[in-house]
């Protein structure tokens, strides 16, 4: 995969729009990488999800000292796709090890082939001050996509028991709050 990153080139589209050297990580057929257990996520009709991923990672690169803890508390690995998931993992490992989270340390963790991509993320992120808004969008879109994926899988169920399992997964997604642990009432007393 590092070879792929080195061969990509950015530029300007014929319409004059800036084109990233790193295309959005969409699999052939238009499906997004899966969110665990449910297969591939359905393709989105807009780029809000990708822009939120880019902005959250860019914010951590911009101001990891102040932002990384909030990002680690509010989002999870399954909220990210493709290269963004790789970068989130690297940021999390650095944060948990008590090391700085910035473009240099992240590039060292994921490989120098990501240097241009990291630079683009920082360049495109106007400020880290809006990271809470970026996180709100990221978490909401991630949950929505995972729920849509489970709903699409329900069409293929051949028993109510299978549907019930999918409904339970959807309820866990809707009630899921990073940093919170769900326990039975007996355990909580």
């Amino acid at each position: 995969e590092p070879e792929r990153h080195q061969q990509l080139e950015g530029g300007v589209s014929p319409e004059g729009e800036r084109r990233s050297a790193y295309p959005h990580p969409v699999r052939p057929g238009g499906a997004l990488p899966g969110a665990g257990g449910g297969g591939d996520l359905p393709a989105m009709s807009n780029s809000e999800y990708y822009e939120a991923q880019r902005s959250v990672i860019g914010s951590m690169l911009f101001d990891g000292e102040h932002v990384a803890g909030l990002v680690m508390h509010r989002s999870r690995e399954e909220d990210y796709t493709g290269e963004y998931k790789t970068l989130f993992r690297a940021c999390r490992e650095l944060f948990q090890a008590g090391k700085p989270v910035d473009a240099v340390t992240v590039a060292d963790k994921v490989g120098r082939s990501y240097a241009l991509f990291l630079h683009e993320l920082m360049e495109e992120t106007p400020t880290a001050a809006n990271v809470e808004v970026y996180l709100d969008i990221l978490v909401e879109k991630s949950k929505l996509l995972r729920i849509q994926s489970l709903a699409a899988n329900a069409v293929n169920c051949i028993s109510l028991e299978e549907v019930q399992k999918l409904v339970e997964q959807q309820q866990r997604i809707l009630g899921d709050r990073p940093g919170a642990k769900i326990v039975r009432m007996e355990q909580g007393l």
Side-chain angles (χ1 to χ4, degrees):
E1 186 162 299
E3 295 82 36
R4 187 183 124 216
H5 293 293
Q6 292 170 345
Q7 295 171 0
L8 295 173
E9 293 181 21
V12 178
S13 72
E15 295 80 29
E17 296 175 355
R18 187 163 179 267
R19 191 172 47 211
S20 172
Y22 295 87
H24 297 307
V26 177
R27 290 184 178 169
L32 297 172
D40 285 346
L41 296 172
M44 292 188 65
S45 61
N46 63 52
S47 64
E48 288 177 352
Y49 182 52
Y50 289 115
E51 293 305 319
Q53 290 180 83
R54 293 178 72 82
S55 297
V56 169
I57 299 295
S59 293
M60 279 197 294
L61 298 173
F62 234 101
D63 191 7
E65 183 179 348
H66 296 103
V67 172
L70 178 64
V71 172
M72 298 304 145
H73 179 72
R74 297 240 350 248
S75 66
R76 295 182 164 190
E77 189 173 317
E78 63 257 17
D79 291 329
Y80 300 88
T81 59
E83 284 96 355
Y84 308 111
K85 184 178 281 194
T86 300
L87 295 174
F88 176 79
R89 286 178 186 149
C91 291
R92 183 183 59 205
E93 289 174 21
L94 290 165
F95 178 77
Q96 289 174 340
K99 296 180 179 177
V101 177
D102 58 38
V104 174
T105 58
V106 173
D108 185 56
K109 192 89 173 147
V110 296
R112 296 288 177 203
S113 62
Y114 276 81
L116 177 60
F117 187 44
L118 296 170
H119 177 74
E120 284 182 8
L121 290 176
M122 290 181 67
E123 190 175 277
E124 293 173 12
T125 305
T127 178
N130 298 328
V131 71
E132 291 193 55
V133 175
Y134 306 149
L135 281 164
D136 289 343
I137 295 167
L138 173 72
V139 172
E140 179 182 335
K141 296 295 181 184
S142 173
K143 284 183 178 185
L144 179 62
L145 287 171
R146 287 184 280 150
I147 289 170
Q148 288 173 341
S149 177
L150 289 169
N153 288 341
V155 173
N156 298 320
C157 290
I158 57 172
S159 72
L160 287 176
E161 186 176 305
E162 288 180 29
V163 173
Q164 181 63 34
K165 288 179 184 178
L166 293 175
V167 169
E168 288 170 6
Q169 288 177 348
Q170 287 177 334
Q171 289 172 337
R172 278 195 300 275
I173 291 169
L174 288 172
D176 187 30
R177 290 186 310 232
K181 182 178 179 183
I182 299 174
V183 296
R184 285 180 268 134
M185 187 178 345
E186 304 86 48
Q187 294 172 314
L189 296 176

